[in-house]
Amino acid sequence: MPQIEQIAATYASQIFWLLLIFGLVFFVVGKGMVPKVMGTVDMRDKRIADDLTAAETARREADEQEEAWRKRENDNRARAQALIAEAKADAAGQTERAVAEAQSRIDEKLAAAEARIDASRRNAATEIENVATEATQDIVKRIAALNVSQAEAHNAVKEVMVRG
Amino acid sequence: MATEAKVDPMHQFTIEPLFGSDGWEVAGYNLAFTNSALWMALTAVVLWGFVALGMKGQLVPGRWQMAVESFTGFVDDMLEANIGKAGRKYVPYVFSLFMFILFANVLGLLPLGVVGLHPFTFTSHFTVTGILAIMSFSIVLIVGFAKHGIGFLSLFVPHGTPALMIPFIFLVELVSFMVRPFSLALRLFVAMMAGHLLLEVLSGFVISSSNAGVGTGVLVGIPTFLLMIGICALELLVAAVQAYVFALLTALYINDAENLH
């Protein structure tokens, strides 16, 4: 077993080189490089944690803003609804008024027209009476050769016309 | 005997001075640069190169940076789980230890013999694993006594020990404590040596049986070769597991020193 056979000849060299080289590894790699590598890892972890916190904050802020926006929107909607209702009521009132006005105008016109028709009918009736009276006078004169006064003829016509 | 193809499974553990075997004497100690030292240096360079790939510091890591970060994160998590918040200051040491052993184990397993290089697994030498274990153990002692003073000795008296039993329990706990560096060192050394030895013995089977003829080659050589493939995979696992165990036990022992119990 060379480990034991050679120990007397080699232990000093083994120990010396091991201490020298492991010392170099410890100071150069362990002390010099590893902290930097771990620093990078720590920095990355911190960065990720920070980013996550920032994202969380941003999300909460967005939520708040959305809430505010929703509230504003609801207010606006309510106000718009009120405005619409008002406008609707206004329009309805106006229409009613206009309709009433038109109705009254139509009523008036109807009344006037009826009055005119009445007058015309009465005129026509008088005209017929007059014509009938003249016709009666004429007929009596021709047939009986009597001169009937206008008043008499008129009375006779009236009598006949009233009787129907 | 001499004409037979002889495979010496222990030869792979031989330390051969590469240069400086004559002049490099310091206070009577020979500090020759050996193949063992060469592979330590290679391990260090490969480890340095690997970690350097993770130094880009990009916000979105590339695959190499991801790999390095997962190793540092792994060691960091292990220390945090075993020691707590105070574990962070041991990351450089435990990371160096874990990665140094892991890279040494894996580099020693590489089939570089195919291209004429002979990998040397210095973690299969108990002088090396012993030094690493003593380092970890020293850190435990230094931290323990620096933090708790003489109160560190209360580690050897578990809570609720009857007064009568204290001297006895103290002794038992002390022995189990003092055995730690040995178990730490021997576990790694034995696991690495056993694996390499097994692979070498099996490859010896393949070579010898093939040399003996086609029949034995097919009958013994091929099944052995298939077994070797499986054991190679197992050895890769052992390489990682042993590095992990060494680092984990170091973390547990440091936890004793940091937090008593």
Side-chain angles (χ1 to χ4, degrees):
Chain A
M1 202 161 143
Q3 285 97 326
I4 293 170
E5 283 153 17
Q6 292 186 307
I7 189 164
T10 60
Y11 78 97
S13 145
Q14 289 276 68
I15 292 170
F16 171 75
W17 288 109
L18 177 68
L19 287 181
L20 181 72
I21 290 166
F22 186 75
L24 274 175
V25 167
F26 174 66
F27 284 108
V28 174
V29 176
K31 280 277 192 196
M33 297 160 98
V34 168
K36 279 184 198 142
V37 173
M38 288 177 70
T40 308
V41 175
D42 286 348
M43 205 182 66
R44 182 182 313 127
D45 287 352
K46 194 176 157 313
R47 177 97 180 257
I48 289 169
D50 285 357
D51 283 1
L52 280 178
T53 325
E56 181 62 39
T57 319
R59 198 168 65 95
R60 206 168 312 122
E61 203 169 305
D63 278 356
E64 269 164 31
Q65 278 188 3
E66 199 201 333
E67 194 58 37
W69 171 82
R70 207 178 289 279
K71 197 170 164 303
R72 221 165 46 234
E73 195 71 353
N74 281 345
D75 286 355
N76 282 348
R77 189 165 299 141
R79 235 179 357 218
Q81 220 78 311
L83 227 69
I84 289 168
E86 200 180 315
K88 225 184 248 173
D90 238 29
Q94 237 162 33
T95 313
E96 213 168 296
R97 243 175 294 130
V99 167
E101 209 175 302
Q103 188 66 47
S104 69
R105 252 197 334 267
I106 289 166
D107 285 354
E108 234 168 77
K109 256 187 193 159
L110 271 177
E114 263 164 25
R116 241 185 2 256
I117 290 167
D118 249 14
S120 295
R121 192 184 285 144
R122 222 171 296 123
N123 275 354
T126 352
E127 200 86 357
I128 289 168
E129 269 177 32
N130 289 345
V131 170
T133 309
E134 267 170 43
T136 309
Q137 274 178 307
D138 257 7
I139 292 166
V140 170
K141 197 178 181 179
R142 278 225 203 129
I143 295 172
L146 285 173
N147 252 339
V148 185
S149 74
Q150 197 191 348
E152 261 176 302
H154 190 79
N155 276 342
V157 167
K158 224 176 196 168
E159 217 169 296
V160 173
M161 274 181 88
V162 167
R163 241 183 265 147
Chain B
M1 260 314 261
T3 53
E4 251 178 71
K6 178 89 171 67
V7 177
D8 175 13
M10 294 310 286
H11 180 70
Q12 57 176 324
F13 302 118
T14 313
I15 292 174
E16 287 154 359
L18 296 177
F19 50 84
S21 45
D22 301 324
W24 294 22
E25 300 261 345
V26 177
Y29 296 109
N30 186 348
L31 303 183
F33 190 83
T34 60
N35 53 349
S36 172
L38 173 68
W39 282 91
M40 289 178 200
L42 277 176
T43 303
V45 169
V46 172
L47 175 56
W48 175 83
F50 174 69
V51 179
L53 286 170
M55 292 279 288
K56 293 196 194 92
Q58 285 167 339
L59 189 64
V60 179
R63 60 184 71 175
W64 284 106
Q65 196 183 337
M66 198 71 221
V68 176
E69 280 175 6
S70 61
F71 273 112
T72 58
F74 169 70
V75 172
D76 189 31
D77 287 349
M78 182 175 76
L79 287 173
E80 175 130 12
N82 288 309
I83 305 177
K85 275 274 165 264
R88 235 186 174 194
K89 59 175 172 284
Y90 302 104
V91 168
Y93 174 69
V94 177
F95 180 83
S96 305
L97 192 66
F98 172 65
M99 295 302 274
F100 192 61
I101 295 173
L102 177 66
F103 275 54
N105 292 351
V106 172
L107 281 180
L109 275 174
L110 291 183
L112 296 176
V114 177
V115 293
L117 271 170
H118 287 282
F120 181 88
T121 317
F122 60 86
T123 42
S124 63
H125 275 250
F126 59 79
T127 36
V128 172
T129 60
I131 295 296
L132 293 174
I134 288 169
M135 272 197 291
S136 289
F137 193 65
S138 311
I139 288 176
V140 171
L141 287 181
I142 292 166
V143 169
F145 281 112
K147 220 175 152 164
H148 306 288
I150 202 73
F152 182 53
L153 294 180
S154 72
L155 182 67
F156 306 132
V157 184
H159 289 300
T161 313
L164 196 67
M165 295 289 284
I166 283 178
F168 180 66
I169 293 287
F170 186 87
L171 264 179
V172 170
E173 290 280 330
L174 182 66
V175 168
S176 89
F177 183 76
M178 297 311 282
V179 156
R180 282 174 178 184
F182 295 97
S183 69
L184 207 52
L186 288 178
R187 184 180 298 111
L188 178 57
F189 147 67
V190 165
M192 294 324 292
M193 196 185 83
H196 284 263
L197 205 54
L198 186 58
L199 285 176
E200 197 80 5
V201 168
L202 289 177
S203 64
F205 276 9
V206 176
I207 294 166
S208 306
S209 63
S210 305
N211 282 348
V214 177
T216 47
V218 170
L219 207 68
V220 179
I222 289 175
T224 314
F225 189 71
L226 292 177
L227 181 64
M228 273 183 76
I229 294 174
I231 289 180
C232 275
L234 183 71
E235 281 309 305
L236 279 173
L237 180 71
V238 168
V241 166
Q242 287 302 325
Y244 173 61
V245 166
F246 204 104
L248 179 69
L249 287 176
T250 299
L252 285 175
Y253 298 160
I254 292 175
N255 176 45
D256 280 348
E258 273 281 340
N259 305 320
L260 288 179
H261 48 192

